[in-house]
Amino acid sequence: MTLRLAIVGLGKIARDQHVPSIAKTEGVELTSIASRNASIDGMSHFPDIETLLASDEAVDAVALCTPPQGRHAQAVAALQAGKHVLLEKPPGATVSEMGPLVALAQEKGVTLFATWHSRFAPAVEPARAFLADTDIHSVHVEWKEDVRKWHPGQAWIWEPGGLGVFDPGINALSIVTAILPRPMFLRRSDLQFPENRAAPIAADLEFTDATGLAVRAEFDWRETGGETWSVHVETAKGKLTLSEGGKKLALDGQPMVNEPDAEYAGIYRRFVELTKTGAIDVDLSPLQHVADAFLLGRRHVVDAFVEA
């Protein structure tokens, strides 16, 4: 049976990633859109999820691609209606709102899937397998990009709950938490806030684990010389580097993995599999690390951010 899916929130990420990936994935079909300001020609369209759910439209599942601040209410509405729910990252604006969603999905017997698309990058699983069998000495994360290029005009991202630089930074955290053999926890957080914004433009974090492993993560939205999306791991077997967001993997500079991006196709394959049994896949560790970064964060005020 093909899963009939509605996208809620047809913004840039939905158009660029979700729509084409759904079209390539067996077992799922995009049948409708719920979005205030966007639609797809020839496809059923509704202004919001409430109107969609109140209609006669045949929908089995929804993919929530709206900003995280309002996503909890949308997820509740979909779960109450017995729909499977896929959550774009981050799964919510807070950690505490997720527990009741998991409980509701369990009550209704439907799938709730909190996606971390970077975990489906081709180098992530090989990196996890490599690190499971060697001593790890240190980890250094560099996740730097130009906010004007990658998030143009997205005012919500600078508001409370929008995460600021942690919107891309949480992708790095989702990779690190997937590949390291032990849980890590935060020791230091320095956050740089533009004087005219409510969310940080840069972050410098230090983590450790039960063995004392040093993990440092640097996130910055002011990089104009090209993107850096890399995780460097010093090990007993050499320096392991994931680069280009997890598309490439190298050991001491020698290539191990170099494959094209297929993250969102991986997400939808996983979603289709989960919905066959109504299984739940909700790992909140990346979001918890971001919450801890704000909890322990030393606030540093920097120059105002101006969109153009």
Side-chain angles (χ1 to χ4, degrees), residues 224-276:
T224 57
E227 299 77 40
T228 301
W229 297 316
S230 301
V231 179
H232 310 281
V233 188
E234 296 287 352
T235 80
K237 295 180 180 179
K239 183 178 181 179
L240 190 73
T241 298
L242 292 89
S243 58
E244 296 189 22
K247 288 191 289 186
K248 295 183 178 181
L249 185 68
L251 181 63
D252 289 334
Q254 297 301 309
M256 298 172 65
V257 175
N258 184 2
E259 298 181 17
D261 175 24
E263 296 176 8
Y264 280 85
I267 281 176
Y268 278 100
R269 286 194 299 270
R270 174 67 173 157
F271 189 47
V272 169
E273 189 64 28
L274 290 169
T275 60
K276 291 178 180 178

Side-chain angles (χ1 to χ4, degrees), residues 5-300:
L5 179 84
I7 285 180
V8 181
L10 190 64
K12 177 176 172 57
I13 194 69
R15 286 189 177 277
D16 291 352
Q17 299 291 347
H18 287 260
V19 172
S21 296
I22 293 166
K24 298 175 185 176
T25 304
E26 185 177 351
V28 61
E29 177 187 5
L30 180 60
T31 59
S32 50
I33 300 294
S35 184
R36 287 180 299 175
N37 303 312
S39 61
I40 294 177
D41 289 345
M43 187 168 293
S44 298
H45 176 259
F46 303 87
D48 50 48
I49 190 171
E50 292 80 12
T51 308
L52 166 66
L53 295 174
S55 74
D56 294 329
E57 185 77 5
V59 172
D60 305 306
V62 298
L64 299 184
C65 302
T66 51
Q69 292 96 324
R71 203 178 294 155
H72 178 265
Q74 297 168 341
V76 168
L79 294 170
Q80 288 282 16
K83 311 302 181 185
H84 303 293
V85 174
L86 179 149
L87 300 168
E88 175 58 91
K89 65 86 187 174
T94 67
V95 179
S96 59
E97 69 190 50
M98 296 306 302
L101 291 183
V102 171
L104 180 57
Q106 291 172 332
E107 175 189 331
K108 296 294 183 179
V110 294
T111 290
L112 180 65
F113 182 26
T115 64
W116 301 108
H117 64 80
S118 292
R119 287 183 174 176
F120 291 84
V124 173
E125 176 54 28
R128 186 207 61 77
F130 180 92
L131 295 175
D133 192 35
T134 188
D135 291 333
I136 304 172
H137 299 157
S138 65
V139 181
H140 184 204
V141 180
E142 297 179 285
W143 221 260
K144 302 177 181 181
E145 62 185 55
D146 183 355
V147 64
R148 293 180 177 87
K149 173 181 177 181
W150 292 99
H151 306 275
Q154 295 180 12
W156 64 267
I157 216 166
W158 293 105
E159 296 299 322
L163 299 189
V165 75
F166 286 104
D167 180 79
I170 205 170
N171 296 335
L173 294 173
S174 74
I175 290 176
V176 174
T177 52
I179 66 175
L180 291 185
R182 293 173 297 274
M184 64 182 189
F185 55 92
L186 189 67
R187 297 296 298 272
R188 179 184 63 82
S189 171
D190 284 282
L191 309 178
Q192 297 188 23
F193 285 76
E195 62 181 9
N196 62 335
R197 303 288 174 171
I201 198 168
D204 190 344
L205 312 175
E206 289 183 359
F207 301 85
T208 191
D209 67 5
T211 69
L213 177 68
V215 180
R216 184 178 181 186
E218 298 176 88
F219 306 147
D220 204 321
W221 257 353
R222 300 166 296 188
E223 180 59 60
T224 57
E227 299 77 40
T228 301
W229 297 316
S230 301
V231 179
H232 310 281
V233 188
E234 296 287 352
T235 80
K237 295 180 180 179
K239 183 178 181 179
L240 190 73
T241 298
L242 292 89
S243 58
E244 296 189 22
K247 288 191 289 186
K248 295 183 178 181
L249 185 68
L251 181 63
D252 289 334
Q254 297 301 309
M256 298 172 65
V257 175
N258 184 2
E259 298 181 17
D261 175 24
E263 296 176 8
Y264 280 85
I267 281 176
Y268 278 100
R269 286 194 299 270
R270 174 67 173 157
F271 189 47
V272 169
E273 189 64 28
L274 290 169
T275 60
K276 291 178 180 178
T277 59
I280 293 171
D281 184 350
V282 177
D283 175 16
L284 297 180
S285 56
L287 184 61
Q288 183 66 67
H289 287 310
V290 172
D292 287 350
F294 281 97
L295 187 65
L296 292 185
R298 294 183 178 89
R299 183 185 179 107
H300 307 274

